[in-house]
């Protein structure tokens, strides 16, 4: 089936399941899934129930769509996303975003766990994503364009919604949390980067690195969504400290930040 057709099929399934068009879609990154438990859920859909959705295989990603109220708004949260490293095609990784945009959801919050490249960062802190290094990310828009979603060639200069970012800064101040701002670099994984990779990424201007987010933001941008990106710095990137990196440590730090992250995102949804 053609992609446009698959999107239509999934959109009409979701329309049959949801009582309204959500105000905001949220992608929850590694270990940040517990935010979904804060949603007053009206509907929970397993990815296995949703036509054309793939399954989430990454640890710390449960693979459910949670629809309900958060901060007084109707939200649709992806508890678990699809990563390129799981073996999925990029077009599969971004399929949910294209469905959300087609459904009429205008706003998207993308979160992730990331390694800190900027040595001023400390694990457990948050970073507002203000720019992206996309060069190591095979473009998810490669192949026939779905014209209903957006243009073949599209801007990535004004990717993030500046008003929403301003609100995020104010909320971080109010809640007394550190919110760095920086460039997120995509690396395909699943191996963590080498110290040389990290030195190279730093030279290129990256402040944080991760294995997700960039594909989804590219797709959301093409579809004209208002986007906010937040990284949870779960570890210092390879070679910065004299320690080995592990996925367990990433999830453990994300768990420590959980409450701060949930309060922050809730306010960012409530006040938008
Ligand atoms: N590198 C890539 N992805 C990550 C990291 C990292 O150091 N930490 C969390 N996700």
């Amino acid at each position: 089936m053609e992609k446009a057709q698959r999107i239509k099929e999934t959109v009409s399934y979701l329309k049959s399941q949801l009582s309204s068009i959500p105000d905001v879609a949220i992608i929850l990154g590694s270990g940040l899934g517990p935010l979904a438990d804060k949603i007053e859920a009206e509907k929970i859909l397993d990815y296995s129930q949703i036509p054309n959705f793939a399954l989430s295989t990454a640890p710390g990603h449960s693979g459910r769509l949670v629809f309900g109220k958060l901060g007084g708004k109707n939200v649709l949260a992806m508890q678990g996303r699809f990563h390129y490293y799981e073996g999925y095609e990029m077009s599969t990784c971004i399929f949910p975003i294209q469905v959300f945009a087609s459904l009429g959801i205008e706003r998207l919050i993308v979160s992730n766990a990331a390694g800190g490249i900027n040595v001023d960062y400390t694990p457990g802190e948050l970073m507002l994503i203000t720019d992206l290094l996309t060069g190591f990310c095979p473009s998810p828009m490669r192949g026939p364009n779905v014209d209903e979603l957006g243009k073949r060639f599209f801007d990535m200069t004004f990717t993030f919604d500046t008003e929403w970012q301003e609100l995020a800064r104010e909320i971080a101040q109010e809640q007394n949390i550190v919110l760095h701002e920086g460039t997120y670099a995509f690396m395909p994984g699943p191996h963590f980067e080498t110290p040389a990779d990290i030195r190279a990424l730093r030279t290129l201007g990256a402040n944080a690195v991760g294995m997700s987010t960039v594909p989804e933001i590219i797709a959301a941008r093409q579809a004209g969504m208002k986007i906010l990106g937040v990284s949870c710095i779960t570890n210092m990137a390879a070679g910065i400290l004299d320690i080995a990196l592990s996925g367990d440590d990433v999830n453990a730090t994300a768990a420590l930040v959980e409450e701060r992250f949930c309060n922050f995102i809730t306010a960012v949804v409530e006040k938008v």
Side-chain angles (χ1 to χ4, degrees):
M1 205 191 302
E2 241 183 70
K3 183 154 196 183
Q5 196 52 39
R6 274 184 284 131
I7 292 171
K8 269 192 199 137
E9 191 178 273
T10 310
V11 165
S12 70
Y13 171 78
L14 289 180
K15 276 190 177 154
S16 76
Q17 297 294 312
L18 308 181
S19 60
S20 66
I21 303 298
D23 303 303
V24 184
I26 309 173
I27 307 178
L28 297 168
S30 298
L32 302 172
L35 178 72
D37 303 330
K38 303 275 193 280
I39 298 171
E40 280 171 54
E42 185 182 303
K43 194 93 193 178
I44 297 179
L45 300 168
D46 242 64
Y47 291 168
S48 59
Q49 290 172 258
I50 307 174
N52 306 314
F53 257 53
L55 297 177
S56 207
T57 71
H61 290 251
S62 30
R64 319 187 295 170
L65 265 191
V66 180
F67 172 74
K69 285 256 188 271
L70 183 76
K73 298 262 172 34
N74 289 316
V75 300
L76 185 63
M78 281 186 81
Q79 202 176 20
R81 54 149 59 93
F82 308 122
H83 302 82
Y84 186 61
Y85 67 70
E86 292 173 79
Y88 294 122
E89 294 302 327
M90 276 296 182
S91 59
T92 306
C93 299
I94 60 154
F95 182 78
I97 309 308
Q98 296 183 314
V99 167
F100 298 161
S102 303
L103 190 60
I105 304 178
E106 291 175 359
R107 290 184 177 271
L108 177 71
I109 297 176
V110 188
S111 70
N112 58 58
I117 294 179
N118 187 324
V119 294
D120 294 335
Y121 296 178
T122 303
E125 292 174 339
L126 302 182
M127 184 190 89
L128 186 66
I129 303 174
T130 53
D131 208 345
L132 303 170
L133 271 171
T134 71
F136 298 103
C137 178
S139 180
M141 314 319 292
R142 182 172 168 271
N145 189 47
V146 181
D147 294 333
E148 293 91 328
L149 280 172
K151 295 202 165 71
R152 164 87 297 184
F153 301 105
F154 52 95
D155 176 70
M156 291 293 292
T157 312
F158 301 102
T159 298
F160 298 98
D161 189 78
T162 49
E163 285 175 25
W164 211 1
Q165 288 185 319
E166 193 46 42
L167 178 66
R169 290 182 190 106
E170 288 165 18
I171 289 165
Q173 270 211 333
E174 272 167 34
Q175 298 188 346
N176 216 3
I177 59 174
V178 175
L179 183 65
H180 296 292
E181 300 195 16
T183 297
Y184 174 97
F186 172 90
M187 288 296 265
H191 63 284
F192 286 115
E193 301 72 32
T194 64
D197 288 331
I198 295 305
R199 286 194 301 275
L201 289 175
R202 182 181 296 118
T203 304
L204 294 175
N207 299 102
V209 59
M211 305 172 191
S212 66
T213 297
V214 166
E216 294 130 332
I217 289 180
I218 292 174
R221 178 67 180 142
Q222 191 210 25
M225 295 179 92
K226 292 189 170 131
I227 305 164
L228 188 80
V230 182
S231 290
C232 168
I233 305 298
T234 51
N235 56 284
M236 294 316 288
I240 295 179
L241 306 174
D242 196 18
I243 53 169
L245 303 191
S246 90
D248 290 343
D249 291 346
V250 166
N251 285 331
T253 307
L256 289 178
V257 182
E258 188 186 303
E259 192 174 315
R260 215 180 314 153
F261 174 78
C262 289
N263 292 338
F264 175 69
I265 297 295
T266 304
V268 160
V269 168
E270 184 181 352
K271 297 188 177 161
V272 73

